[in-house]
Amino acid sequence: MFAFNPTPVSIPPKNAGLMLRQPKGLPVYIQPLNPLQFILRAAEIYPDKTALVHPDVEYPVHYSFSIWCQRIQNLAYALIQAGIKPGDRVAIIAPNSYVLHAHHGVLAAQAVLCLINTRLKPSEVAYILDHSGSSIILVDHEYLHLLPPNVKVPVVISKDTGRPGDPYEEFLSNGRAFSKERGWSGLEYPADESAPAVLCYTISGTTGRPKGVVTTLRGSYLAAIGNAYESRIHFESTYLWILPMFHAAGWTFPWANVFGFATQITMRTVDYPTIWKHFLNTEITHYCGAPTVQIGIVNDPAAKPLPRPITAIIAGAAPTANLIGALEARGIQPIHVYGLTQYGPFTRNYAQPSWAALSVQERSKMMARQGHSFATAQDVRVVYQPTSSSDTDSELVDVPRDGKTIGEIYFRDPEATRKAFRGGSFNSGDLATMSRDGSVSVVDRSKDIIISGGENASSLAIEQELASHPDIMEVSVVARNHIKWGERPHAFVILKSQAISKWEGRHDVFSVELKAYAKVRLPGFACPEWVQIVKELPKTSTGKILKTDLRKIVAKL
Amino acid sequence: MFAFNPTPVSIPPKNAGLMLRQPKGLPVYIQPLNPLQFILRAAEIYPDKTALVHPDVEYPVHYSFSIWCQRIQNLAYALIQAGIKPGDRVAIIAPNSYVLHAHHGVLAAQAVLCLINTRLKPSEVAYILDHSGSSIILVDHEYLHLLPPNVKVPVVISKDTGRPGDPYEEFLSNGRAFSKERGWSGLEYPADESAPAVLCYTISGTTGRPKGVVTTLRGSYLAAIGNAYESRIHFESTYLWILPMFHAAGWTFPWANVFGFATQITMRTVDYPTIWKHFLNTEITHYCGAPTVQIGIVNDPAAKPLPRPITAIIAGAAPTANLIGALEARGIQPIHVYGLTQYGPFTRNYAQPSWAALSVQERSKMMARQGHSFATAQDVRVVYQPTSSSDTDSELVDVPRDGKTIGEIYFRDPEATRKAFRGGSFNSGDLATMSRDGSVSVVDRSKDIIISGGENASSLAIEQELASHPDIMEVSVVARNHIKWGERPHAFVILKSQAISKWEGRHDVFSVELKAYAKVRLPGFACPEWVQIVKELPKTSTGKILKTDLRKIVAKL
C-alpha cells in the first residue's frame, strides 16, 4: 500500500467499544434492522483489513475497517455538533469516496442521507436542497459551483485529501473533540426500523420536477443483504466503484460490501483506462454498472482477457445479447438485476441449468429477462387495475402488472405517494410480461412503446435485435410519426470504432443493410423505417438514454 | 434418480399461483418476515430442481421444489381441516424427512411447530405434549410407542413411504380436497412477524423438567439467511442431513437450504457408513454436526480423502484442535459456529488471514473460539450483573457476560423468561471470556467448572488438551471431590479403536502416560488426578455428553 497516515483523530482509542446503545421500549428479542450495524461488525471482526482505497488521486488514502469506523463515528458527532437531529436531511454533492463515508456516518447520526447527482444543473440542485429541507450540505470542492449563491445552511467542504488542513478533516476533528470519547456507546439506533435512511431524487429525462423517494432502514438492511448474497460478496472480494452512488444509493452496495467484509475501491474520475488498470492489476472481483457503461468497458482499447473472472452486476436497462457475449468473452460474468432508481436492485435473472445447452445468442435472450424477486424483497408482480380510473384503491389484478418491493415511500408528495402505492402495491411505471415460470420481462417504459399499424412494438425488443449487428456499438429506437402506420421505429445507431470508416459516406447503404438484418429477426411492424448513424446518444446524468430528447429530434423530421 | 412417482395430489395444478395473501392493515412498504417465503420462491424460480431426496429407505422418494411446495400446501390445508388455528401447536415425533416437511407446512397453516426429540422417554414426551398444549401430533410409525396411551388429540401417522396407502398421504389428499384448489392464495402470512414459529424443549442433562423455548418468525427468517450466507449455501449445494432436526430446529437449515436453493438429502437412520457413501458418491457440499458426531465421522473405517471439499458446520461444543486437524486431513472444511439449543447458531469463528501462518495446532486453538455474532443477530456480549441478586433488572456490565440474540422467549414459564432476559439481554448460561478482538470463547457451562485448590479450571480447556493425545478418540472431564484441593479433574477417556489392544490390561500405564502428557500442557491444578478408560460416554439425545451422569459416577468413588 502507498505511504499514507490517517489523521490522528481517525485512530480509535485503545479498547474502543463498538456497540451503539439499544433503543429503549422495544421487546428484548427485537433489534431494529439498520445497515449501520455492518461497519461496526466489520471493525470488530476484521479491524485491520483494508476497508477502502481511494488511489487514483493527488492525495491517495486507504483505511482499515477499524480506522474507517472511527472516522464514521467522528462524522456522526460532527453532524450532531452542527445541530443535526434525528430525521434531519444531510445533503451531499461529491464523488463516490466522500459519499461512501456519508452512507454510514449520516445514519450514525440518525439523519437521512440526501444524495444529489453531481451532473445536475444548479437550478435542479437548488430545487432539491429546498424541497428536501436539508439542514447541512456536504460538498466536494469541485462542485461548489452547484450550490445556490444564497445558501443558508452550513456547508462542509472536502478537498478529498484525507490530510490535515482539509476542511472535512477539521470537521471530523471537531466531531471527535465534541464526543468527549463517549464513542459508539454515546450514539443510539433509532427505535423505528422503518425510519427513513436515504432520500434520492429521480430526474430521468422527464419534464417534471425531481421527485424525492425515501428508503427505510429496514428496507436498506434487507436489500443490502440480498445484494451481498446474490453477488456472493465475501471477505476475499474487492469491489470497484464504477457506479455513481447518487444512482439509487449505489444500489445498496455501500452497505452490502461492508456486510460481506469486501474491500472497496473508489475513483474520483471514472474512465475506462483506469477501470481496466484496476481490472488487470488490483484483483477486482465485483463491480456494478448500467449497460451503457458496460458497453464502454468492453469496447475500450485497453480491454484484455482477465487473469481471473470478475462479476458484473448490471441494472438500469436489460443487457443485450451482444453485450452479454462481449462481457463473457473478456472473462466478465454478468448478473442481471432489476430495480428502480428509488431502491436499487430487487429482482434477479436466475440462470437455469438448461440454458447451458443454448447458444450464447439464445442464452443471452433468457438472461435479458428481469427475473424473480430477491428473497429479501416482496414478490414482484405484473398487474393491471380493472377500473379505468388510475387512482382508485381497487384491488390489482395480476396480469399485466407493475413491480413492487419493500421499503419505499414518496417524500413530501402525498398525491404521488398515493398514486404510486395505489391498490397496495408500488407502481414502477415499467411495462412487463410475466413468463409461465414467473420470470418478469420488462417490455418497455409505457411511454417508449411504439404503436405501429395498431400493433404495440417494444422499443427494447427492437434494440435487443439491432444491437446484435456486428458493426453496432449502441442503439436506441423511438417512435416517429408515420402517415400510414401512425408510428414507425426510428433507430439511432453508434457504430463500433472499427466500423466507422467502413461506412464512411455510405450511411444509406448501412441503413439498407440494417433494415434487411432486422427483417429476418423482427415482425414487419417492428422493423426500423429509418436508420440514423450518430456519434453519441443523449443520456441522463445516471447514464440512461434520454429518449425524450430523441423523440424531440424525430418530431422535427 | 431412482424410479418414483409422487402421489397425484402432490402435482400442482397448471398455472398454480405461488403467493400467499398479504395480511391487511400493515404499511404498504412492510412485508412481515417469514421463512415460509423461501419455499414458494424456490418453487417459482427452480420448480424442477431436486429439492429433497430420501434415498436409503425401503421406499425412497425425491421431490422437486414445485412438487414439494404443493405437498407443503396440502399439509397446511390438512392441518386447517383438522381444526388447527393460527398459533396452535403441532407436535412432531419423527425422523428428519417428515420433520423437514413440517418445518414449512406448519408455518403455512400459521401454526407453531413443536419439535419432539425421538430419543426421549414416553414420560418426557407426555410432559411436552401436555405442556405445549399441542392440538395434533404428527408421528412416524416407528415412534408410536412414545405416545401416551390416552392421547386425546388427533394423531397423523407417516409410514415414510410417500406412496398411496400411507396414512400421511391420505392426510395430504384430504387437505388438497379441502382446499378446493384455492391454492396458496387461500392462505395468508401472519401480520405479526414476531409470532411464534418453532417450540423446542431443552432437556440437556439437567434434572429439571424440559423447558420450552420459542423462536419468532422474524428471528427464524434472519437466522436462516445468516446461516445460508455464512455457510455459502447456493444453487449448486447439496446438504446432507446428519443433524437431527429436533436439535434446535436443525439450526435453521431446513429453511436456510431452501433460501439458497440447495438440494437436501435426509436419512432415516444416521450411520457412519451411509454418511461416507454420500460423502463419496452423491456430491455432498455441506452438513452440520456436533463434535461428537464429527469425531465418529473422521474415525469411521469408511473414511477416505474426499474427491471434493465438503463444508462441515460444527456447533454444540467447541471442536478440539485434534478434531479440526482430522477433518481437514480428510478434505472437510470446518466452520465453527455457536448458538443455543433454543435458536441454533448465531456466532461464528471468523478466520483471520494471519492464521494461515500458524501450525494446525495453533490455528485450531484460534478456531475453537466461538467468535463473533452473525450480521443478522444482535451482538453477543459477555456480561455480569453488578448486584448480588440474580433477578434484578439492573443494567448488565460488559465483562464477563452472557450471550444474547434475536428472536426468542421462554414458553409458558414467565419466571424463567424474566430471569433469562434479566437486564434486557438473553442469558445463555455459558461462561465465556471476550478476547481483545471481541471474539468470544466459551470457557464452560457454569456448573462444569472445576474448582481445584481455589483455582477455576475449565473442563473444556482440559478436554481440548487431552484430546490431542494420539490414542484418544473422545474425552470428558468432570470435578471429583479431593480431600486436599477441594476438587480435582477426573478424565473419562474413549480410546481410538487401533489403540484399544495396545493398552489392554495396562490402563494404569496409560493413566500415568496421560498425566505426564497433561503436565507439560496444563497448569498443575488442571491436570487430571484420575484417568478412566471407558467404552462409551453417556450422551443426551442431542449428542451432548451428559456430565451430570459422569458426576454421579465420580460421586460414588
Side-chain angles (χ1 to χ4, degrees):
Chain A
M1 204 62 72
F2 40 80
F4 163 68
N5 291 311
T7 53
V9 294
S10 306
I11 315 290
K14 279 266 177 213
N15 303 317
L18 286 163
M19 276 195 279
L20 276 74
R21 286 197 309 268
Q22 292 295 322
K24 302 279 181 197
L26 292 173
V28 281
Y29 50 86
I30 294 284
Q31 169 160 317
L33 305 180
N34 190 321
L36 177 65
Q37 292 164 19
F38 305 149
I39 181 65
L40 291 151
R41 194 168 162 269
E44 176 106 327
I45 299 177
Y46 291 115
D48 301 327
K49 197 199 166 189
T50 302
L52 62 93
V53 190
H54 188 50
D56 308 308
V57 284
E58 193 176 353
Y59 299 99
V61 302
H62 57 89
Y63 299 114
S64 66
F65 277 115
S66 171
I67 285 173
W68 189 29
C69 190
Q70 179 63 42
R71 288 174 61 82
I72 287 163
Q73 184 199 111
N74 297 348
L75 174 55
Y77 278 110
L79 290 169
I80 292 166
Q81 184 179 26
I84 296 300
K85 300 270 177 297
D88 283 358
R89 272 74 66 203
V90 175
I92 186 159
I93 315 171
N96 273 345
S97 56
Y98 198 3
V99 187
L100 187 51
H101 304 310
H103 261 86
H104 303 265
V106 171
L107 296 197
Q110 297 196 38
V112 182
L113 181 64
C114 177
L115 296 167
I116 298 184
N117 190 323
T118 54
R119 297 171 196 153
L120 295 182
K121 289 179 290 210
S123 61
E124 292 168 318
V125 172
Y127 174 83
I128 292 172
L129 289 173
D130 178 61
H131 184 267
S132 67
S134 288
S135 305
I136 193 167
I137 304 168
L138 312 181
V139 66
D140 182 87
H141 66 117
E142 270 191 32
Y143 294 102
L144 289 171
H145 63 279
L146 289 180
L147 294 183
N150 55 348
V151 59
K152 290 190 190 66
V153 296
V155 172
V156 182
I157 298 169
S158 165
K159 293 190 174 168
D160 201 7
T161 69
R163 266 81 175 171
D166 191 312
Y168 179 61
E169 299 301 317
E170 293 290 311
F171 189 65
L172 295 186
S173 294
N174 294 341
R176 176 86 178 249
F178 175 73
S179 81
K180 297 206 177 81
E181 299 302 344
R182 277 170 295 163
W184 286 105
S185 64
L187 301 169
E188 189 171 290
Y189 287 113
D192 180 9
E193 63 186 17
S194 292
V198 177
L199 171 57
C200 281
Y201 280 79
T202 61
I203 328 264
S204 39
T206 59
T207 49
R209 295 175 313 180
K211 271 189 300 226
V213 288
V214 185
T215 65
T216 66
L217 292 168
R218 173 183 165 114
S220 299
Y221 174 99
L222 291 170
I225 291 182
N227 276 302
Y229 179 81
E230 297 297 345
S231 311
R232 305 199 184 185
I233 287 172
H234 288 284
F235 176 84
E236 64 273 18
S237 306
T238 301
Y239 180 96
L240 183 65
W241 271 105
I242 295 172
L243 179 76
M245 281 177 214
F246 56 71
H247 190 179
W251 304 356
T252 77
F253 282 83
W255 303 304
N257 286 320
V258 179
F259 169 83
F261 308 125
T263 297
Q264 304 186 66
I265 298 183
T266 51
M267 294 187 278
R268 188 171 173 83
T269 315
V270 176
D271 61 72
Y272 298 121
T274 313
I275 289 172
W276 275 100
K277 181 191 79 177
H278 286 296
F279 278 8
L280 295 167
N281 304 331
T282 55
E283 307 204 356
I284 301 303
T285 58
H286 293 79
Y287 72 96
C288 294
T292 181
V293 175
Q294 308 277 1
I295 288 169
I297 289 172
V298 293
N299 286 294
D300 191 75
K304 272 191 207 145
L306 291 164
R308 73 195 71 74
I310 292 180
T311 299
I313 297 103
I314 306 182
T320 62
N322 218 30
L323 174 58
I324 290 171
L327 287 166
E328 290 182 347
R330 281 152 190 83
I332 299 173
Q333 298 170 340
I335 293 183
H336 175 206
V337 296
Y338 162 82
L340 304 181
T341 312
Q342 292 90 318
Y343 341 50
F346 69 97
T347 80
R348 172 177 180 180
N349 180 286
Y350 290 90
Q352 296 290 336
S354 59
W355 297 357
L358 301 177
S359 67
V360 179
Q361 205 65 18
E362 284 304 308
R363 189 162 51 81
S364 300
K365 276 185 194 164
M366 299 305 284
M367 286 179 68
R369 305 190 307 175
Q370 278 68 26
H372 298 85
S373 295
F374 288 179
T376 53
Q378 285 188 322
D379 292 315
V380 60
R381 298 166 69 192
V382 187
V383 296
Y384 70 91
Q385 260 186 320
T387 60
S388 57
S389 161
S390 68
D391 55 358
T392 60
D393 275 339
S394 62
E395 287 274 336
L396 300 170
V397 181
D398 258 271
V399 171
R401 285 182 180 177
D402 303 84
K404 85 172 185 180
T405 191
I406 50 171
E408 210 222 40
I409 48 167
Y410 272 105
F411 183 73
R412 279 200 180 168
D413 193 341
E415 180 58 17
T417 302
R418 206 172 61 80
K419 278 194 185 166
F421 283 108
R422 68 177 183 268
S425 280
F426 179 78
N427 180 323
S428 75
D430 283 338
L431 296 183
T433 60
M434 182 172 272
S435 313
R436 226 173 70 81
D437 64 0
S439 180
V440 165
S441 299
V442 171
V443 178
D444 229 336
R445 299 285 302 173
S446 48
K447 62 183 182 300
D448 293 339
I449 282 284
I450 301 162
I451 303 167
S452 167
E455 299 277 358
N456 285 336
S458 154
S459 65
L460 281 185
I462 302 170
E463 289 158 8
Q464 285 273 353
E465 290 299 339
L466 299 186
S468 66
H469 186 283
D471 290 344
I472 290 183
M473 183 154 104
E474 197 164 8
V475 57
S476 186
V477 172
V478 294
R480 175 171 162 187
N481 287 335
H482 190 282
I483 197 143
K484 181 172 172 193
W485 302 108
E487 293 179 349
R488 262 321 208 209
H490 181 116
F492 290 88
V493 168
I494 301 178
L495 292 175
K496 285 186 183 159
S497 56
Q498 61 270 32
I500 292 173
S501 59
K502 175 179 168 189
W503 296 110
E504 187 74 55
R506 304 193 302 134
H507 286 192
D508 51 340
V509 184
F510 176 77
S511 172
V512 171
E513 173 171 322
L514 188 64
K515 286 183 203 177
Y517 185 84
K519 203 161 184 182
V520 297
R521 287 169 172 80
L522 290 164
F525 64 86
C527 286
E529 186 85 18
W530 303 275
V531 172
Q532 182 174 356
I533 293 174
V534 292
K535 286 219 174 71
E536 55 183 11
L537 289 164
K539 284 178 182 166
T540 68
S541 43
T542 56
K544 285 200 182 185
I545 295 168
L546 269 169
K547 291 208 172 175
T548 36
D549 284 13
L550 295 179
R551 271 191 285 270
K552 280 181 202 157
I553 293 169
V554 300
K556 291 179 193 151
L557 295 175
Chain B
M1 204 62 73
F2 40 79
F4 163 68
N5 290 311
T7 53
V9 295
S10 305
I11 315 291
K14 278 267 176 212
N15 304 316
L18 286 163
M19 277 194 279
L20 276 75
R21 285 197 308 267
Q22 293 295 320
K24 302 280 180 194
L26 291 174
V28 281
Y29 50 87
I30 294 283
Q31 169 160 319
L33 304 180
N34 189 320
L36 177 65
Q37 291 164 21
F38 305 150
I39 181 63
L40 291 152
R41 194 168 160 269
E44 176 106 326
I45 298 177
Y46 292 115
D48 301 327
K49 197 200 166 188
T50 302
L52 63 93
V53 190
H54 189 50
D56 308 308
V57 284
E58 193 177 352
Y59 298 99
V61 301
H62 58 89
Y63 298 115
S64 67
F65 278 115
S66 171
I67 285 172
W68 189 30
C69 190
Q70 179 64 43
R71 288 173 61 81
I72 286 164
Q73 183 199 113
N74 297 348
L75 174 55
Y77 277 110
L79 291 169
I80 291 165
Q81 183 178 26
I84 296 300
K85 301 271 178 294
D88 283 358
R89 273 75 65 204
V90 175
I92 185 160
I93 315 171
N96 273 344
S97 55
Y98 198 2
V99 187
L100 187 52
H101 304 311
H103 261 87
H104 303 265
V106 171
L107 295 198
Q110 296 195 38
V112 182
L113 181 64
C114 177
L115 296 167
I116 298 184
N117 190 321
T118 54
R119 297 169 196 156
L120 295 183
K121 290 180 289 213
S123 61
E124 292 169 318
V125 172
Y127 174 83
I128 291 173
L129 289 172
D130 179 60
H131 183 267
S132 66
S134 289
S135 305
I136 193 167
I137 304 168
L138 312 181
V139 65
D140 182 86
H141 66 115
E142 271 191 29
Y143 294 101
L144 289 171
H145 63 281
L146 289 180
L147 294 183
N150 57 348
V151 58
K152 288 188 190 68
V153 298
V155 171
V156 182
I157 299 168
S158 165
K159 294 191 172 168
D160 200 8
T161 69
R163 266 78 174 174
D166 190 313
Y168 180 61
E169 298 302 317
E170 293 290 310
F171 189 64
L172 294 186
S173 292
N174 294 341
R176 175 85 178 249
F178 175 73
S179 81
K180 300 208 175 79
E181 299 301 346
R182 278 170 295 163
W184 287 104
S185 64
L187 301 169
E188 189 170 291
Y189 287 113
D192 180 9
E193 64 187 15
S194 292
V198 177
L199 171 57
C200 281
Y201 280 79
T202 60
I203 328 263
S204 37
T206 59
T207 50
R209 294 174 315 178
K211 271 190 299 227
V213 288
V214 184
T215 65
T216 66
L217 292 168
R218 174 184 164 113
S220 300
Y221 173 99
L222 291 171
I225 290 182
N227 276 303
Y229 179 81
E230 297 297 345
S231 311
R232 304 199 185 187
I233 285 173
H234 287 285
F235 176 85
E236 62 275 17
S237 305
T238 301
Y239 179 97
L240 183 64
W241 271 104
I242 294 172
L243 178 77
M245 281 176 214
F246 57 71
H247 191 179
W251 304 355
T252 78
F253 282 82
W255 303 303
N257 286 320
V258 178
F259 169 82
F261 308 127
T263 296
Q264 303 187 67
I265 298 182
T266 51
M267 294 187 279
R268 189 172 172 83
T269 316
V270 176
D271 61 72
Y272 298 121
T274 312
I275 289 172
W276 275 99
K277 180 192 80 177
H278 285 296
F279 278 8
L280 294 167
N281 305 331
T282 55
E283 308 203 357
I284 300 304
T285 58
H286 292 80
Y287 73 95
C288 293
T292 181
V293 175
Q294 309 277 0
I295 289 169
I297 289 172
V298 294
N299 287 293
D300 191 75
K304 271 189 207 149
L306 290 165
R308 74 194 73 72
I310 292 180
T311 299
I313 297 103
I314 306 182
T320 61
N322 218 30
L323 173 58
I324 289 171
L327 287 166
E328 290 182 346
R330 282 153 191 80
I332 299 174
Q333 298 170 340
I335 294 181
H336 176 205
V337 295
Y338 162 82
L340 304 180
T341 313
Q342 292 89 321
Y343 341 50
F346 70 98
T347 80
R348 172 178 180 178
N349 179 286
Y350 290 91
Q352 296 290 336
S354 59
W355 297 356
L358 300 177
S359 68
V360 179
Q361 207 65 18
E362 284 304 308
R363 189 161 50 81
S364 299
K365 276 185 194 163
M366 299 305 285
M367 286 178 68
R369 306 189 307 175
Q370 279 68 25
H372 299 84
S373 296
F374 288 180
T376 53
Q378 284 189 323
D379 291 316
V380 62
R381 298 166 68 193
V382 186
V383 296
Y384 69 91
Q385 260 186 319
T387 60
S388 56
S389 161
S390 69
D391 55 359
T392 60
D393 275 339
S394 63
E395 287 274 334
L396 300 169
V397 180
D398 259 271
V399 172
R401 286 183 180 180
D402 305 83
K404 86 172 185 179
T405 191
I406 50 168
E408 210 223 41
I409 49 168
Y410 272 105
F411 183 73
R412 279 201 180 168
D413 193 342
E415 181 55 19
T417 302
R418 205 172 60 80
K419 278 195 186 167
F421 283 109
R422 68 177 184 269
S425 279
F426 179 79
N427 181 323
S428 75
D430 283 339
L431 295 184
T433 60
M434 183 172 273
S435 312
R436 227 174 67 84
D437 64 0
S439 181
V440 165
S441 299
V442 172
V443 178
D444 229 338
R445 297 286 302 171
S446 46
K447 62 183 183 301
D448 293 339
I449 282 283
I450 300 162
I451 303 167
S452 168
E455 299 277 359
N456 285 336
S458 155
S459 65
L460 281 185
I462 302 170
E463 289 159 7
Q464 285 273 353
E465 290 300 338
L466 300 186
S468 66
H469 187 284
D471 290 343
I472 289 184
M473 183 153 104
E474 198 164 8
V475 58
S476 187
V477 172
V478 294
R480 176 171 161 187
N481 287 336
H482 189 281
I483 198 145
K484 179 173 173 196
W485 302 110
E487 292 178 351
R488 262 323 207 207
H490 181 115
F492 291 89
V493 169
I494 300 178
L495 293 175
K496 284 186 184 159
S497 55
Q498 60 270 34
I500 291 172
S501 59
K502 175 179 169 189
W503 296 109
E504 188 75 57
R506 304 192 302 136
H507 285 193
D508 51 342
V509 185
F510 176 76
S511 173
V512 172
E513 171 169 326
L514 188 63
K515 286 184 203 176
Y517 185 83
K519 205 162 182 181
V520 296
R521 288 171 173 79
L522 290 164
F525 64 85
C527 286
E529 187 84 20
W530 304 274
V531 173
Q532 181 175 355
I533 293 174
V534 293
K535 288 218 174 69
E536 55 184 10
L537 289 165
K539 285 181 183 165
T540 68
S541 42
T542 56
K544 284 199 181 185
I545 294 168
L546 268 169
K547 291 208 171 175
T548 35
D549 283 14
L550 295 178
R551 270 191 286 270
K552 280 181 202 157
I553 293 168
V554 300
K556 292 179 193 150
L557 297 175

